[in-house]
């Protein structure tokens, strides 16, 4: 069969690598893709938001299955466009992707269906938000309602910071219309865990757990980034935690979406915080995490095509998800200066050493082909993933493997998975 993947980051490279392992797949296209994806798929120069062009392309090439990796096109309704054209596509429709697309929607849903999450209020006027913040307890969390590249969340230690935050989100419109409505949320403390799941509208199957390191510098210092590295599984995701979440969070979320007339098909990513009062939902995403996919998918034993098809056909109940009894660590190699400013266009050396190296992967995030050479083309450049018998071993293997790669301005955190 022919598969089209929509997106261009490390996550889409990890999806493409999983798809390439399926004996059912003869040909993979990726729009727009990147230099690494181009080694296992044919990259097509169509942007992820160009729905009509993507539909035309899928028809012309007789694509059997399209997989959408990114949040923006999902929230924008790409799946509806493909379905209207009679094409098979994996991902939530627009009315379900709102689970990620609107924090106000997801908070209201959790409240209505008693799914554990932080207490909150939502505001569509800056004056009302500021009045509320006059008498709030600090720290407090402000969230832009809409998509903001993962940057629309402000943790405010003081009233002054919160007032500035309201100004930034609602008046200065730092994230555009995403800040027309904001959610003001109780600050929670605890361990964070990412849990990805497959959903077919009614059934949900959980993948192995993972954890992201979002800050740019060692010791969780520095600015928030798209993610500087991940590990899987999370040792904090115990059987007790799993049992609680299965009962009070996962299935209740899927049932709530169905009850609202918004059946969810695709990936639900649960961002959880393990608080003293039990696990609570920090956020939902409607797609694989990046760089969570880079440590979760290499450990999955199933043929990913079978799982995607089961979700689309409402037959996920028939699938037994299986993960390897090991661990994986992904260390992101970035351009020094990320996430603020950085140079691009440097040649990347050593990539060939990952070919046929069992248990090691180099997923491309920001790379490009220039004069036949692979060069840096973004803040996050590569995700070096290695497996090991346990997290300790996986971590040692991943850091050893980062030494195989060289480019000017190479920067990485040295403590991914360290405290484990
Ligand atoms: P989100 O995009 O909603 O996951 O938020 C980004 C990050 O902000 C999370 O990974 C947490 O580290 C932090 N965060 C979000 N909401 C809260 C909260 N209510 N309390 C404490 N930290 C939070
Ligand atoms: N790693 C967090 C995300 O993909 O949103």
């Amino acid at each position: 069969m022919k598969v089209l993947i929509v997106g261009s980051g490390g996550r889409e490279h990890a999806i493409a690598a999983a798809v390439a392992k399926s004996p059912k797949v003869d040909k993979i296209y990726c729009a727009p893709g990147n230099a690494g994806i181009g080694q296992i798929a044919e990259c097509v120069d169509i942007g992820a938001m160009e729905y009509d062009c993507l539909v035309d392309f899928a028809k012309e090439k007789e694509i059997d299955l399209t997989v959408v990796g990114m949040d923006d096109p999902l929230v924008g309704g790409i799946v509806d466009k493909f379905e209207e054209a009679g094409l098979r596509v994996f991902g939530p429709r627009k009315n379900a992707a709102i689970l990620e697309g609107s924090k106000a929607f997801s908070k209201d849903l959790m409240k209505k269906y008693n799914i554990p999450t932080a207490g909150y209020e939502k505001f569509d006027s800056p004056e009302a938000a500021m009045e509320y913040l006059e008498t709030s307890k600090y720290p407090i969390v402000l969230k832009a309602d809409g998509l903001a590249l993962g940057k629309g969340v402000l943790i405010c230690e003081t009233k002054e910071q919160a007032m500035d935050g309201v100004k930034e989100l609602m008046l200065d419109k730092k994230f555009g219309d995403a800040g027309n409505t904001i959610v003001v949320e109780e600050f929670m403390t605890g361990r964070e865990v990412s849990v990805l799941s497959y959903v077919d509208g009614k059934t949900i199957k959980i993948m192995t757990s993972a954890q992201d390191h979002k800050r740019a510098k060692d010791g969780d210092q520095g600015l928030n980034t798209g993610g500087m590295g991940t590990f899987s599984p999370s040792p904090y995701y115990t059987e007790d935690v799993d049992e609680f979440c299965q009962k009070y969070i996962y299935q209740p979320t899927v049932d709530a979406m169905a009850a609202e007339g918004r059946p969810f098909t695709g990936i639900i990513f649960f961002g959880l915080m393990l608080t003293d009062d039990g696990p609570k939902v920090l956020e939902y995403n409607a797609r694989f995490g990046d760089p969570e996919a880079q440590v979760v998918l290499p450990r999955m034993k199933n043929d990913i095509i079978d799982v995607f098809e089961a979700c689309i056909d409402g037959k996920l109940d028939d699938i037994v998800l299986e993960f390897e009894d090991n661990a994986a660590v992904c260390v992101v190699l970035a351009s020094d200066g990320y996430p603020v400013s950085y140079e691009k266009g440097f040649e990347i050396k050593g990539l060939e050493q990952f070919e046929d190296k069992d248990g090691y992967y180099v997923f491309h995030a920001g790379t490009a082909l220039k004069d036949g050479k692979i060069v840096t083309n973004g803040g996050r450049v590569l995700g070096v993933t290695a497996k090991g018998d346990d997290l300790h071993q996986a971590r040692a293997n991943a850091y050893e493997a980062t030494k195989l790669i060289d480019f000017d301005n190479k920067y990485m955190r040295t403590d991914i998975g360290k405290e484990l």
Side-chain angles (χ1 to χ4, degrees):
M1 65 191 282
K2 292 188 226 168
V3 176
L4 168 65
I5 297 167
V6 178
S8 60
R11 164 183 50 211
E12 285 74 24
H13 195 176
I15 295 171
V19 166
K21 278 202 312 197
S22 170
K24 300 190 172 77
V25 174
D26 311 303
K27 172 89 185 170
I28 310 173
Y29 294 94
C30 188
N34 64 34
I37 297 173
Q39 292 169 344
I40 49 174
E42 184 175 331
C43 294
V44 207
D45 192 16
I46 308 175
M49 300 304 282
E50 296 176 58
Y51 312 148
D52 292 335
C53 294
L54 289 169
V55 164
D56 288 347
F57 177 82
K59 279 192 190 156
E60 183 200 315
K61 295 290 182 188
E62 299 178 330
I63 300 291
D64 300 291
L65 173 65
T66 297
V67 180
V68 184
M70 294 169 70
D71 46 359
D72 282 297
L74 288 169
V75 170
I78 190 173
V79 166
D80 306 58
K81 291 275 186 187
F82 271 73
E83 286 183 351
E84 281 158 24
L87 294 161
R88 268 170 88 75
V89 56
F90 176 77
R93 291 181 190 144
K94 184 175 184 173
N95 74 352
I98 191 175
L99 192 61
E100 169 165 9
S102 166
K103 301 231 189 241
F105 171 87
S106 69
K107 295 298 290 189
D108 289 347
L109 186 87
M110 287 186 268
K111 189 181 199 174
K112 180 168 173 187
Y113 293 91
N114 286 319
I115 296 166
T117 188
Y120 74 104
E121 294 288 335
K122 59 180 182 190
F123 298 96
D124 47 25
S125 109
E127 294 78 24
M130 286 179 176
E131 191 183 326
Y132 175 79
L133 289 165
E134 280 294 340
T135 53
S136 301
K137 198 167 141 228
Y138 289 86
I140 205 160
V141 185
L142 308 188
K143 297 188 175 183
D145 175 50
L147 293 182
L149 297 167
K151 300 195 177 98
V153 175
L154 307 177
I155 313 266
C156 305
E157 304 286 342
T158 62
K159 194 192 291 181
E160 290 66 40
Q161 282 179 9
M163 298 295 171
D164 287 348
V166 171
K167 186 168 168 291
E168 207 172 283
L169 297 176
M170 303 189 86
L171 295 170
D172 303 344
K173 299 235 173 268
K174 188 165 173 197
F175 301 106
D177 288 345
N180 287 351
T181 298
I182 66 163
V183 169
V184 177
E185 195 175 281
E186 169 202 354
F187 177 77
M188 302 188 287
T189 51
R191 283 272 165 198
E192 284 185 45
V193 185
S194 302
V195 177
L196 311 184
S197 66
Y198 294 101
V199 186
D200 74 354
K202 49 188 193 299
T203 299
I204 178 163
K205 298 260 163 118
I206 299 303
M207 296 179 230
T208 181
S209 61
Q211 190 186 318
D212 191 3
H213 293 258
K214 288 199 170 102
R215 300 295 195 98
K217 302 235 158 81
D218 282 11
D220 288 330
Q221 303 295 311
L223 294 172
N224 255 325
T225 70
M228 294 301 293
T230 35
F231 57 87
S232 170
S234 163
Y236 308 102
Y237 192 77
T238 59
E239 271 178 32
D240 283 352
V241 171
D242 183 63
E243 202 177 305
F244 180 95
C245 296
Q246 297 279 1
K247 194 165 168 194
Y248 297 107
I249 295 177
Y250 305 145
Q251 192 67 49
T253 300
V254 174
D255 293 345
M257 290 299 281
E260 293 292 308
R262 300 169 181 274
F264 192 106
T265 300
I267 305 290
I268 300 182
F269 166 142
F270 297 85
L272 303 174
M273 190 170 268
L274 310 180
T275 75
D276 289 344
D277 301 328
K280 293 190 183 182
V281 177
L282 276 171
E283 64 160 350
Y284 293 117
N285 293 313
R287 38 127 190 122
F288 284 101
D290 189 341
E292 282 86 348
Q294 289 90 314
V295 283
V296 168
L297 289 179
R299 299 184 53 227
M300 191 170 96
K301 290 193 199 169
N302 303 70
D303 181 329
I304 200 166
I305 295 295
D306 292 344
V307 185
F308 287 154
E309 303 234 65
C311 289
I312 296 171
D313 296 333
K315 292 185 175 157
L316 189 57
D317 218 12
D318 298 343
I319 299 276
V320 179
L321 280 187
E322 286 185 284
F323 285 84
E324 292 169 3
D325 182 19
N326 56 10
V329 168
C330 172
V331 179
V332 169
L333 303 186
S335 305
D336 197 15
Y338 172 75
V340 182
S341 65
Y342 48 84
E343 288 179 75
K344 304 193 275 197
F346 298 116
E347 184 182 351
I348 305 172
K349 298 196 187 112
L351 290 165
E352 68 291 344
Q353 297 180 73
F354 282 81
E355 280 162 26
D356 303 320
K357 198 165 156 59
D358 221 23
Y360 291 81
Y361 308 79
V362 58
F363 296 118
H364 293 227
T367 64
L369 258 183
K370 195 171 131 198
D371 306 328
K373 291 179 178 152
I374 295 184
V375 299
T376 64
N377 192 40
R380 291 190 299 166
V381 178
L382 301 167
V384 171
T385 295
K387 294 194 227 177
D389 290 342
D390 55 22
L391 281 169
H392 188 75
Q393 192 59 51
R395 176 169 190 273
N397 293 348
Y399 274 105
E400 198 55 34
T402 62
K403 295 181 189 159
L404 301 175
I405 304 278
D406 196 29
F407 55 85
D408 283 355
N409 281 357
K410 172 177 141 184
Y411 170 78
M412 65 184 155
R413 274 182 62 160
T414 65
D415 64 345
I416 302 302
K418 189 172 179 181
E419 81 272 32
L420 306 168

